[in-house]
Amino acid sequence: MVSPLALAFYLAKTTEAEDVFVPVLNIKRSELPLRGDNVFLLQKIHIPESLLIFRDEIDLHALHQAGQLTLILVDHHVLPKSDAALEDAVAEVLDHRPLEQKRCPPCHVSVELVGSCATLVTERILQGAPEILDRQTAALLHGTIIVDCVNMDPKMGKVTLKDNKYVEKLEALFPDLPKRNDIFESLQKAKFDVSGLTTEQMLRKDQKTIFRQGIKVTISAIYMDLEAFLQRSGLIADLHAFCQAHSYDVLVAMNIFFNTHNEPVRQLAIFCPHAALRTTICGVLERSHSPSLKLTPIPSTHPNLQAYLQGNIQVSRKKLLPLLQEALSTYFDSMTIPSGQFETVDVSREQVDKDLDRAGASLIPGLSQDEEEPPLPRTPMNSLVDECPLDQGLPKLSAEAIFEKCSQISLSQSTTAFLSQK
């Protein structure tokens, strides 16, 4: 969200032409509260939300048809299917992940595998017109690079030499910028804070969907204790309404939080009004050995909801998805289905398009990055990374991915401590 704001500021200050540079954030205005870290940073830097322009507030297709649109894709380079008609308006790409789609001249492509796209924007400003950089813009870029690069910690496999270089340059130019630990902890706390969200917003904040033979299963990461989540007022009515509005047959909530000892905890809740389907899914998850979730049932007063404590914290959502696909196969195998009705298990195309439209990165005017998370490098017990993370491009770390990394580090440290005592 910060990269297009800063780039538009730079272009407006340095371009002599009468062009108007408008940063458009590729989410609906109503979805901004889902991005707590962005809201926190904007408030801290004193940028009113009323000054922002969102995707549902501008008709890019009408501007394109009128010949008045030029796009710069920032922090991504592939337009969603719904905006394919805007391809010939793309004049430039500025991204920090490997190219999935080649673009021909006159489109100018600047791609470099760094930890944060904000690093590339900072570089452009400092190389092109360093005199225009003010403290407000510097603070936005500084905070974004730090949180994208996981507090500049090389163990997390995100930060590069260039990220470090430009964070140091910003700190040298503006010595009163917040300390790295302070801004990182504040932004991480804001990212995980769901206290001000409705149940629907919590479910949509970090969500994936799978689809098979007319059955849709959605999996939402919920960043709070399941017990507190289940005690929310009107929860079951909210879950019913959410599923009905989006035609979901099954809702899986994967609750994630840290306990008072700063240890990661995972819990599961399966909400499904269809008893046979719910029983099948729960049975597959309970019996799974590869991987074993080590589920312990949690008492629930809601007849359509089954809750569990997940003993194996290493089973993340991406590892849970194949088990849910297996559960759907088991369910259909138990039914009499005419031949020819099977479909390939996959992420719902409809949901992917919606996810693309919701993604947090933006352009000028704005579209988005793919929300799907690439797999993180496998973490062996004696090392945080298996190989150089740049070999396959930098992994994009969501809140869920960061939690998984912390879980792996915690387990690695526990194992090391155990071995050293023997």
Side-chain angles (χ1 to χ4, degrees):
M1 189 175 290
V2 165
S3 292
L5 293 174
L7 184 59
F9 168 77
Y10 167 76
L11 294 173
K13 290 285 189 179
T14 59
T15 304
E16 296 181 359
E18 296 182 356
D19 296 331
V20 177
F21 296 93
V22 182
V24 179
L25 308 180
N26 193 53
I27 57 174
K28 296 178 181 179
R29 182 176 289 275
S30 62
E31 294 179 351
L32 182 61
L34 304 184
R35 309 182 185 278
D37 51 343
N38 288 317
V39 172
F40 175 86
L41 187 58
L42 292 171
Q43 290 175 346
K44 187 175 182 64
I45 309 302
H46 305 296
I47 296 180
E49 295 177 12
S50 60
L51 296 182
L52 304 177
I53 298 176
F54 294 82
R55 187 64 171 84
D56 58 333
E57 298 173 336
I58 186 169
D59 190 340
L60 297 181
H61 291 270
L63 289 173
H64 183 46
Q65 292 173 1
Q68 298 178 324
L69 180 68
T70 299
L71 296 178
I72 301 177
L73 306 185
V74 183
D75 207 5
H76 73 117
H77 58 271
V78 179
L79 291 175
K81 182 179 179 181
S82 57
D83 287 308
L86 303 178
E87 284 287 354
D88 58 352
V90 178
E92 183 178 352
V93 168
L94 182 64
D95 199 3
H96 69 117
R97 51 181 59 82
L99 280 175
E100 299 176 12
Q101 173 181 323
K102 292 184 178 180
R103 294 190 176 275
C104 301
C107 180
H108 177 68
V109 177
S110 298
V111 172
E112 187 170 351
L113 301 182
V114 293
S116 175
C117 190
T119 296
L120 303 180
V121 176
T122 303
E123 178 181 49
R124 181 172 296 193
I125 294 174
L126 292 182
Q127 289 185 352
E131 69 279 1
I132 73 166
L133 186 62
D134 56 27
R135 189 193 181 283
Q136 186 182 51
T137 307
L140 282 173
L141 293 167
H142 180 256
T144 301
I145 297 172
I146 288 173
V147 76
D148 285 348
C149 295
V150 198
N151 205 20
M152 317 308 288
D153 185 352
K155 295 178 182 178
M156 300 304 290
K158 281 279 285 183
V159 66
T160 68
L161 292 176
K162 178 165 282 191
D163 296 302
N164 271 319
K165 173 184 176 180
Y166 281 100
V167 163
E168 291 172 359
K169 282 183 175 291
L170 290 172
E171 291 170 345
L173 289 169
F174 301 91
D176 63 335
L177 287 172
K179 300 296 182 183
R180 296 183 187 182
N181 283 341
D182 292 344
I183 192 64
F184 178 74
E185 289 176 4
S186 296
L187 289 172
Q188 284 298 99
K189 182 179 179 180
K191 179 184 290 188
F192 283 89
D193 184 13
V194 295
S195 58
L197 301 183
T198 66
T199 299
E200 180 189 14
Q201 289 173 329
M202 292 172 65
L203 295 170
R204 292 169 52 203
K205 182 177 175 67
D206 194 351
Q207 177 188 8
K208 298 290 185 292
T209 300
I210 59 174
F211 177 85
R212 184 172 185 178
Q213 294 178 228
I215 289 184
K216 291 174 70 176
V217 180
T218 190
I219 308 95
S220 296
I222 306 294
Y223 300 102
M224 67 183 299
D225 184 1
L226 180 58
E227 182 178 355
F229 181 69
L230 294 179
Q231 292 176 354
R232 290 176 67 88
S233 177
L235 176 70
I236 296 302
D238 288 341
L239 297 182
H240 272 291
F242 182 75
C243 290
Q244 186 173 11
H246 302 281
S247 301
Y248 297 137
D249 300 280
V250 184
L251 167 64
V252 178
M254 177 170 267
N255 290 62
I256 307 167
F257 71 100
F258 289 88
N259 62 20
T260 55
H261 301 291
N262 206 32
E263 298 168 336
V265 178
R266 287 188 185 272
Q267 301 160 315
L268 283 178
I270 292 84
F271 174 78
C272 177
H274 310 290
L277 180 56
R278 183 179 66 255
T279 300
T280 300
I281 291 174
C282 291
V284 169
L285 297 181
E286 290 172 3
R287 294 188 298 269
S288 175
H289 294 289
S290 182
S292 172
L293 279 70
K294 300 180 180 178
L295 297 179
T296 301
I298 298 174
S300 170
T301 60
H302 309 299
N304 296 328
L305 186 147
Q306 177 62 57
Y308 299 95
L309 172 65
Q310 181 181 315
N312 186 356
I313 62 172
Q314 296 301 304
V315 180
S316 64
R317 182 172 53 188
K318 68 181 180 183
K319 297 175 183 176
L320 183 68
L321 286 171
L323 296 180
L324 292 173
Q325 293 168 342
E326 177 188 341
L328 291 182
S329 295
T330 301
Y331 175 72
F332 287 117
D333 288 345
S334 68
M335 301 170 61
T336 303
I337 305 176
S339 61
Q341 289 190 8
F342 286 92
E343 303 172 14
T344 303
V345 176
D346 201 354
V347 175
S348 165
R349 181 69 258 171
E350 174 190 2
Q351 182 65 28
V352 169
D353 283 342
K354 290 181 179 178
D355 287 347
L356 284 166
D357 289 340
R358 288 203 313 264
S362 310
L363 51 86
I364 304 175
L367 297 172
S368 68
Q369 68 190 29
D370 192 339
E371 189 183 19
E372 290 298 315
E373 305 291 344
L376 293 169
R378 181 178 61 84
T379 305
M381 301 306 286
N382 60 348
S383 174
L384 284 165
V385 291
D386 204 18
E387 56 187 351
C388 175
L390 295 180
D391 290 346
Q392 302 298 325
L394 289 164
K396 180 177 53 155
L397 295 182
S398 65
E400 159 74 2
I402 291 172
F403 181 92
E404 182 177 2
K405 270 286 190 183
C406 292
S407 299
Q408 292 169 335
I409 293 170
S410 175
L411 182 58
S412 176
Q413 292 172 339
S414 298
T415 304
T416 301
F418 174 75
L419 292 174
S420 66
Q421 293 170 6
K422 292 186 69 175

